[in-house]
Amino acid sequence: MRLLIASLSVLLFLFFAMEASAKIVFDSTREGVDGIYVMDDDGGNVKLLTDMLHPAIPRWSPDGKYIVFSRQTDKRNKRSRLFLIKADGTSIRQLTTLVGEATDSPGPFSPDGKSILFHRTERVNNKARHSLLVIDIESGQITKLIEDIVVTMPDWSPDGKHIVFSTSSAAGGAGGTLYIIGADGSNLRPLIPAQPEPLPGALVIHRWYPRWSPNGKRIVYIQTEYTWEPWPPHELALIRRAYRYRVCNAKGEHVQSLLIPKDWDLRGIDWMENGESVVFSGNKVKLNAPPDIEEPPTNIYKYHLATGKTTRLTEHLGIDHTLDWVSDSARAVSPAGKRPMQWGALRSFIPAYRVVFKAVSVSIKNLME
């Protein structure tokens, strides 16, 4: 009898674990205040974690228990440092310390959750110096991977062997592209060949914000297309022509386009639901003209890859920026040392577990009578 009740209790635990939802963390500007927010991946239960000193660029730890982000250290110092916070908004801890005029921008946790990638910009002899570094969370030891290349939005492959990142574009010149390196900083190479220096007025292609799929086989990224042209009263203005949202394989090949309209300017993008969907923040803009002085409201949407269906997750007049998705509940029930089952796969089992739950409830009731 005890064994039966124990077995039924385990089934109940599994059911309630699967009912929990995955989470999205994002930075947002609402009513003029910058903050880090967390919500369910259906857009519900929005919670402000911190709005102190302009926090930005949050990323989940692999187990969904912590979030890394950047913020200023005080109101007078505009330079940003890395901070760690628990998923419930408590226990904020500074990870990087002041180094002259350096600014730190966070990347992802390593797949084992022990380290964090970040990009640092320093002023050396009145020149900007860029580097990609990794910090060990427990010891605080920092290791430099590469330097003298502008790194934006780095992402660690799920197997921990590679890092993909984008480079910035030059005003009036060529656009940036995607690069890939080994996790130790070796073998730097373009994932997608960079565009040659365009002629004046020619189309500039800028690829950025790459994210690995959960299985490590694909990379989603944003592609911005624009020209630099005279536009009174500006001597030279950026004229937006199109936005593309694309997926390639781990070698930068077999590029496919998502069916998101080309007049949607995206601020951030990530995979969700075991790679079946992507989640992004964006807004509709006017093409063939310079950007508006005032930014339009930017919200978060879910895009299902198989159907092309777009679902709105947030609705407000502020601006949602970068974002990151995690299935913390699914990872919490994964056996130690095993590859965690992704939330999309778990969610597909829920209808069957509802049947099991009903049967278990009836069985327990009968046993108690």
Side-chain angles (χ1 to χ4, degrees), residues 230-243:
W231 192 284
H234 309 285
E235 181 177 347
L236 197 65
L238 183 151
I239 309 299
R240 299 178 296 192
R241 300 301 182 184
Y243 296 91

PDB file of all heavy atoms in Angstrom, residues 230-243:
ATOM      1  N   PRO A 230      22.673  61.536 -48.329  1.00  0.00           N
ATOM      2  CA  PRO A 230      22.353  62.910 -47.890  1.00  0.00           C
ATOM      3  C   PRO A 230      20.852  63.036 -47.664  1.00  0.00           C
ATOM      4  O   PRO A 230      20.053  62.569 -48.481  1.00  0.00           O
ATOM      5  CB  PRO A 230      22.815  63.777 -49.065  1.00  0.00           C
ATOM      6  CG  PRO A 230      23.793  62.930 -49.796  1.00  0.00           C
ATOM      7  CD  PRO A 230      23.318  61.514 -49.643  1.00  0.00           C
ATOM      8  N   TRP A 231      20.479  63.643 -46.551  1.00  0.00           N
ATOM      9  CA  TRP A 231      19.062  63.782 -46.221  1.00  0.00           C
ATOM     10  C   TRP A 231      18.895  65.046 -45.367  1.00  0.00           C
ATOM     11  O   TRP A 231      19.144  65.011 -44.168  1.00  0.00           O
ATOM     12  CB  TRP A 231      18.567  62.551 -45.462  1.00  0.00           C
ATOM     13  CG  TRP A 231      17.063  62.469 -45.326  1.00  0.00           C
ATOM     14  CD1 TRP A 231      16.280  63.193 -44.484  1.00  0.00           C
ATOM     15  CD2 TRP A 231      16.193  61.631 -46.078  1.00  0.00           C
ATOM     16  NE1 TRP A 231      14.963  62.869 -44.644  1.00  0.00           N
ATOM     17  CE2 TRP A 231      14.868  61.898 -45.614  1.00  0.00           C
ATOM     18  CE3 TRP A 231      16.367  60.676 -47.074  1.00  0.00           C
ATOM     19  CZ2 TRP A 231      13.754  61.239 -46.122  1.00  0.00           C
ATOM     20  CZ3 TRP A 231      15.256  60.028 -47.576  1.00  0.00           C
ATOM     21  CH2 TRP A 231      13.974  60.308 -47.115  1.00  0.00           C
ATOM     22  N   PRO A 232      18.524  66.156 -46.013  1.00  0.00           N
ATOM     23  CA  PRO A 232      18.433  67.422 -45.268  1.00  0.00           C
ATOM     24  C   PRO A 232      17.548  67.268 -44.021  1.00  0.00           C
ATOM     25  O   PRO A 232      16.513  66.586 -44.094  1.00  0.00           O
ATOM     26  CB  PRO A 232      17.790  68.375 -46.288  1.00  0.00           C
ATOM     27  CG  PRO A 232      18.127  67.758 -47.621  1.00  0.00           C
ATOM     28  CD  PRO A 232      18.133  66.289 -47.401  1.00  0.00           C
ATOM     29  N   PRO A 233      17.945  67.842 -42.892  1.00  0.00           N
ATOM     30  CA  PRO A 233      19.105  68.741 -42.734  1.00  0.00           C
ATOM     31  C   PRO A 233      20.407  68.001 -42.434  1.00  0.00           C
ATOM     32  O   PRO A 233      21.407  68.625 -42.086  1.00  0.00           O
ATOM     33  CB  PRO A 233      18.683  69.587 -41.531  1.00  0.00           C
ATOM     34  CG  PRO A 233      17.900  68.630 -40.688  1.00  0.00           C
ATOM     35  CD  PRO A 233      17.156  67.755 -41.653  1.00  0.00           C
ATOM     36  N   HIS A 234      20.426  66.666 -42.555  1.00  0.00           N
ATOM     37  CA  HIS A 234      21.628  65.905 -42.253  1.00  0.00           C
ATOM     38  C   HIS A 234      22.568  65.877 -43.465  1.00  0.00           C
ATOM     39  O   HIS A 234      22.123  65.799 -44.615  1.00  0.00           O
ATOM     40  CB  HIS A 234      21.253  64.466 -41.878  1.00  0.00           C
ATOM     41  CG  HIS A 234      20.194  64.382 -40.826  1.00  0.00           C
ATOM     42  ND1 HIS A 234      20.429  64.647 -39.498  1.00  0.00           N
ATOM     43  CD2 HIS A 234      18.872  64.074 -40.918  1.00  0.00           C
ATOM     44  CE1 HIS A 234      19.307  64.508 -38.809  1.00  0.00           C
ATOM     45  NE2 HIS A 234      18.346  64.158 -39.655  1.00  0.00           N
ATOM     46  N   GLU A 235      23.848  65.900 -43.189  1.00  0.00           N
ATOM     47  CA  GLU A 235      24.816  65.750 -44.264  1.00  0.00           C
ATOM     48  C   GLU A 235      24.810  64.316 -44.777  1.00  0.00           C
ATOM     49  O   GLU A 235      24.913  64.078 -45.983  1.00  0.00           O
ATOM     50  CB  GLU A 235      26.211  66.111 -43.752  1.00  0.00           C
ATOM     51  CG  GLU A 235      27.294  66.005 -44.818  1.00  0.00           C
ATOM     52  CD  GLU A 235      28.649  66.427 -44.303  1.00  0.00           C
ATOM     53  OE1 GLU A 235      28.697  67.029 -43.198  1.00  0.00           O
ATOM     54  OE2 GLU A 235      29.657  66.183 -44.991  1.00  0.00           O
ATOM     55  N   LEU A 236      24.664  63.368 -43.831  1.00  0.00           N
ATOM     56  CA  LEU A 236      24.597  61.963 -44.196  1.00  0.00           C
ATOM     57  C   LEU A 236      23.678  61.264 -43.207  1.00  0.00           C
ATOM     58  O   LEU A 236      23.873  61.361 -41.991  1.00  0.00           O
ATOM     59  CB  LEU A 236      26.000  61.339 -44.158  1.00  0.00           C
ATOM     60  CG  LEU A 236      26.192  60.001 -44.878  1.00  0.00           C
ATOM     61  CD1 LEU A 236      25.979  60.187 -46.385  1.00  0.00           C
ATOM     62  CD2 LEU A 236      27.581  59.452 -44.606  1.00  0.00           C
ATOM     63  N   ALA A 237      22.680  60.562 -43.700  1.00  0.00           N
ATOM     64  CA  ALA A 237      21.708  59.914 -42.828  1.00  0.00           C
ATOM     65  C   ALA A 237      21.576  58.442 -43.169  1.00  0.00           C
ATOM     66  O   ALA A 237      21.729  58.037 -44.331  1.00  0.00           O
ATOM     67  CB  ALA A 237      20.338  60.595 -42.941  1.00  0.00           C
ATOM     68  N   LEU A 238      21.277  57.639 -42.157  1.00  0.00           N
ATOM     69  CA  LEU A 238      21.011  56.209 -42.360  1.00  0.00           C
ATOM     70  C   LEU A 238      19.574  56.053 -42.825  1.00  0.00           C
ATOM     71  O   LEU A 238      18.639  56.488 -42.144  1.00  0.00           O
ATOM     72  CB  LEU A 238      21.245  55.447 -41.052  1.00  0.00           C
ATOM     73  CG  LEU A 238      21.097  53.922 -41.087  1.00  0.00           C
ATOM     74  CD1 LEU A 238      21.998  53.287 -40.029  1.00  0.00           C
ATOM     75  CD2 LEU A 238      19.644  53.507 -40.815  1.00  0.00           C
ATOM     76  N   ILE A 239      19.395  55.452 -43.995  1.00  0.00           N
ATOM     77  CA  ILE A 239      18.070  55.251 -44.569  1.00  0.00           C
ATOM     78  C   ILE A 239      17.733  53.764 -44.480  1.00  0.00           C
ATOM     79  O   ILE A 239      18.386  52.928 -45.121  1.00  0.00           O
ATOM     80  CB  ILE A 239      18.004  55.708 -46.042  1.00  0.00           C
ATOM     81  CG1 ILE A 239      18.567  57.130 -46.181  1.00  0.00           C
ATOM     82  CG2 ILE A 239      16.564  55.630 -46.543  1.00  0.00           C
ATOM     83  CD1 ILE A 239      17.821  58.175 -45.384  1.00  0.00           C
ATOM     84  N   ARG A 240      16.727  53.423 -43.710  1.00  0.00           N
ATOM     85  CA  ARG A 240      16.366  52.013 -43.522  1.00  0.00           C
ATOM     86  C   ARG A 240      15.654  51.469 -44.760  1.00  0.00           C
ATOM     87  O   ARG A 240      14.711  52.059 -45.250  1.00  0.00           O
ATOM     88  CB  ARG A 240      15.461  51.880 -42.290  1.00  0.00           C
ATOM     89  CG  ARG A 240      16.138  52.332 -41.007  1.00  0.00           C
ATOM     90  CD  ARG A 240      15.223  52.249 -39.826  1.00  0.00           C
ATOM     91  NE  ARG A 240      14.079  53.153 -39.931  1.00  0.00           N
ATOM     92  CZ  ARG A 240      13.253  53.431 -38.927  1.00  0.00           C
ATOM     93  NH1 ARG A 240      13.445  52.874 -37.752  1.00  0.00           N
ATOM     94  NH2 ARG A 240      12.248  54.258 -39.099  1.00  0.00           N
ATOM     95  N   ARG A 241      16.140  50.309 -45.235  1.00  0.00           N
ATOM     96  CA  ARG A 241      15.562  49.698 -46.435  1.00  0.00           C
ATOM     97  C   ARG A 241      14.789  48.413 -46.133  1.00  0.00           C
ATOM     98  O   ARG A 241      13.747  48.161 -46.748  1.00  0.00           O
ATOM     99  CB  ARG A 241      16.676  49.407 -47.448  1.00  0.00           C
ATOM    100  CG  ARG A 241      17.439  50.646 -47.913  1.00  0.00           C
ATOM    101  CD  ARG A 241      16.530  51.667 -48.561  1.00  0.00           C
ATOM    102  NE  ARG A 241      17.271  52.826 -49.055  1.00  0.00           N
ATOM    103  CZ  ARG A 241      16.702  53.902 -49.590  1.00  0.00           C
ATOM    104  NH1 ARG A 241      15.386  53.977 -49.694  1.00  0.00           N
ATOM    105  NH2 ARG A 241      17.443  54.911 -50.009  1.00  0.00           N
ATOM    106  N   ALA A 242      15.294  47.593 -45.231  1.00  0.00           N
ATOM    107  CA  ALA A 242      14.596  46.336 -44.906  1.00  0.00           C
ATOM    108  C   ALA A 242      15.224  45.702 -43.685  1.00  0.00           C
ATOM    109  O   ALA A 242      16.401  45.936 -43.353  1.00  0.00           O
ATOM    110  CB  ALA A 242      14.649  45.366 -46.085  1.00  0.00           C
ATOM    111  N   TYR A 243      14.424  44.873 -43.011  1.00  0.00           N
ATOM    112  CA  TYR A 243      14.904  44.036 -41.909  1.00  0.00           C
ATOM    113  C   TYR A 243      14.584  42.587 -42.264  1.00  0.00           C
ATOM    114  O   TYR A 243      13.470  42.281 -42.684  1.00  0.00           O
ATOM    115  CB  TYR A 243      14.222  44.421 -40.597  1.00  0.00           C
ATOM    116  CG  TYR A 243      14.539  45.833 -40.145  1.00  0.00           C
ATOM    117  CD1 TYR A 243      13.722  46.899 -40.522  1.00  0.00           C
ATOM    118  CD2 TYR A 243      15.651  46.098 -39.365  1.00  0.00           C
ATOM    119  CE1 TYR A 243      14.015  48.198 -40.126  1.00  0.00           C
ATOM    120  CE2 TYR A 243      15.949  47.391 -38.959  1.00  0.00           C
ATOM    121  CZ  TYR A 243      15.137  48.438 -39.350  1.00  0.00           C
ATOM    122  OH  TYR A 243      15.429  49.724 -38.962  1.00  0.00           O
TER     123      TYR A 243
END
